[in-house]
Amino acid sequence: MTTDIRPLRRADIPQAFRLLRASHPCRVLTEALILESFDHPLTFYRDRRFVAVEGDEVVGYVLARLHDDDRGLAHGRTFLMAVAPSHLDGALHARLLTTAERHLVAHGATTLRAEAAQESVQVGGERLREVLADHGYARTESARILGLDLSSPPEPPAAPEGSTLRTFAEFDDPRPIYEIDRITSEDEPGEDEGAFPTYTEWHETLWNHPLTDKDLSLVLLVDGVPRTISCYRSDGADRMESGMTGTLPGDRSRGFAAHTKAHALRRAWEKGIRHAFTGNHAGNGPMLAINERLGYTLVGTEETHLKR
């Protein structure tokens, strides 16, 4: 049967979601999220989704994203690739990659990045790595994907002196959260792909993201001043993933992050969430150590690959 690749249609979304969920077991995804993204595209990112179809069956999916840096140069990223079990020989990976590349380059991308992971993180990821190498990509970064069984949540360490915790939902004005996110992202390990989002862009892409769980995400205040944030997304059912945990530079090594994350995990357990995932840059030793103490274990690795 002929396999055609074309832009995603709204009617494809139920099948595409099932394929994505099966291919990316550590991702927090919902069908409603894909529908929301389709109906209300982001402005900060310029996304285009493609599917591979055989008759009425979706057998492949890829997301191609364009993002402008602070100099106005466009950068392309290919990720969330998923293929059906019947197409894991790599041929469909290559066709989906080529489709995404052509779209990104045609819209001005000066660099191309793509993500691929071990099989435990992305079904077909090992074959995708080989395809990326064949297409001239070189690995530039590695992240460790960690998982935690929340059937028995970690005990939070003692509260830092003078500290209180507030949920994101308690902030009518999230600008203090934005400022901590912006400041702590400046020295986070990893490639710098451009300027941090403006407050308006951050509010659209992160604060108002459909899966941002403002009841799980926490801010630690010391003497009433926000010092640490720990952000989470959840599917509203049984799984969650960490977004950003950051402590202001002058307050690090005081146990703020571990205390905040542990309380967020306990809140998740109380809500019935049983699977927690997070990803840390391989060079982020302090956060990897915190997550290990909280009980996270390695699921696998995910790499970013670059082609200019």
Side-chain angles (χ1 to χ4, degrees):
M1 182 179 291
T2 302
T3 305
D4 297 318
I5 297 179
R6 57 165 172 75
L8 175 78
R9 298 170 184 167
R10 203 175 194 277
D12 300 324
I13 290 176
Q15 284 194 63
F17 166 68
R18 289 194 292 271
L19 180 60
L20 278 165
R21 183 66 182 269
S23 300
H24 296 273
C26 301
R27 296 270 188 174
V28 172
L29 297 164
T30 66
E31 186 175 330
L33 171 64
I34 303 175
L35 284 165
E36 173 72 16
S37 301
F38 186 89
D39 291 338
H40 305 285
L42 296 173
T43 57
F44 182 64
Y45 297 115
R46 290 170 282 153
D47 291 346
R48 191 69 180 270
R49 298 164 176 82
F50 297 93
V51 289
V53 294
E54 291 182 350
D56 295 329
E57 183 183 2
V58 174
V59 295
Y61 174 97
V62 70
L63 193 157
R65 169 169 288 176
L66 281 159
H67 172 220
D68 296 329
D69 65 18
D70 52 359
R71 296 173 296 167
L73 296 176
H75 300 273
R77 183 176 287 269
T78 300
F79 63 109
L80 279 182
M81 189 179 293
V83 298
S86 56
H87 291 72
L88 292 177
D89 62 355
L92 188 54
H93 292 93
R95 290 185 61 196
L96 287 165
L97 177 65
T98 299
T99 300
E101 285 183 328
R102 288 174 176 169
H103 169 78
L104 294 169
V105 171
H107 288 79
T110 57
T111 61
L112 298 173
R113 288 177 173 81
E115 295 176 3
Q118 289 182 323
E119 291 294 317
S120 52
V121 176
Q122 178 182 12
V123 177
E126 298 284 2
R127 189 68 186 93
L128 176 56
R129 285 174 169 175
E130 297 173 2
V131 169
L132 290 171
D134 291 342
H135 282 243
Y137 286 78
R139 189 180 71 178
T140 58
E141 292 192 290
S142 179
R144 296 182 183 180
I145 308 303
L146 310 175
L148 175 64
D149 179 358
L150 271 181
S151 58
S152 179
E155 286 294 331
E161 185 177 353
S163 69
T164 57
L165 289 169
R166 292 175 60 189
T167 67
F168 280 20
E170 295 176 76
F171 281 76
D172 295 327
D173 177 9
R175 192 173 291 274
I177 298 171
Y178 168 78
E179 289 299 331
I180 295 178
D181 194 5
R182 181 185 62 79
I183 293 169
T184 57
S185 294
E186 290 177 353
D187 59 0
E188 187 179 21
E191 293 179 306
D192 182 8
E193 295 183 41
F196 191 77
T198 65
Y199 177 73
T200 299
E201 293 164 341
W202 177 90
H203 199 275
E204 176 195 16
T205 59
L206 296 172
W207 185 256
N208 281 340
H209 190 283
L211 299 187
T212 295
D213 196 320
K214 296 186 177 74
D215 291 318
L216 291 185
S217 302
L218 296 176
V219 180
L220 182 136
L221 301 89
V222 178
D223 298 327
V225 179
R227 307 285 190 177
T228 293
I229 58 171
S230 196
C231 318
Y232 296 90
R233 294 177 180 177
S234 77
D235 63 2
D238 67 345
R239 62 179 53 204
M240 64 185 285
E241 67 180 11
S242 301
M244 174 66 175
T245 295
T247 298
L248 292 173
D251 294 306
R252 293 172 185 170
S253 301
R254 298 174 63 184
F256 291 179
H259 178 76
T260 306
K261 285 176 68 73
H263 273 280
L265 292 169
R266 180 159 288 274
R267 290 177 68 88
W269 172 75
E270 292 170 351
K271 290 180 64 174
I273 292 175
R274 293 296 176 264
H275 306 285
F277 298 99
T278 189
N280 297 129
H281 191 281
N284 195 347
M287 190 54 66
L288 286 166
I290 289 171
N291 285 326
E292 183 178 351
R293 290 197 298 271
L294 291 172
Y296 281 92
T297 57
L298 182 67
V299 178
T301 60
E302 181 179 67
E303 283 79 36
T304 298
H305 303 255
L306 172 68
K307 181 164 79 169
R308 298 190 184 280

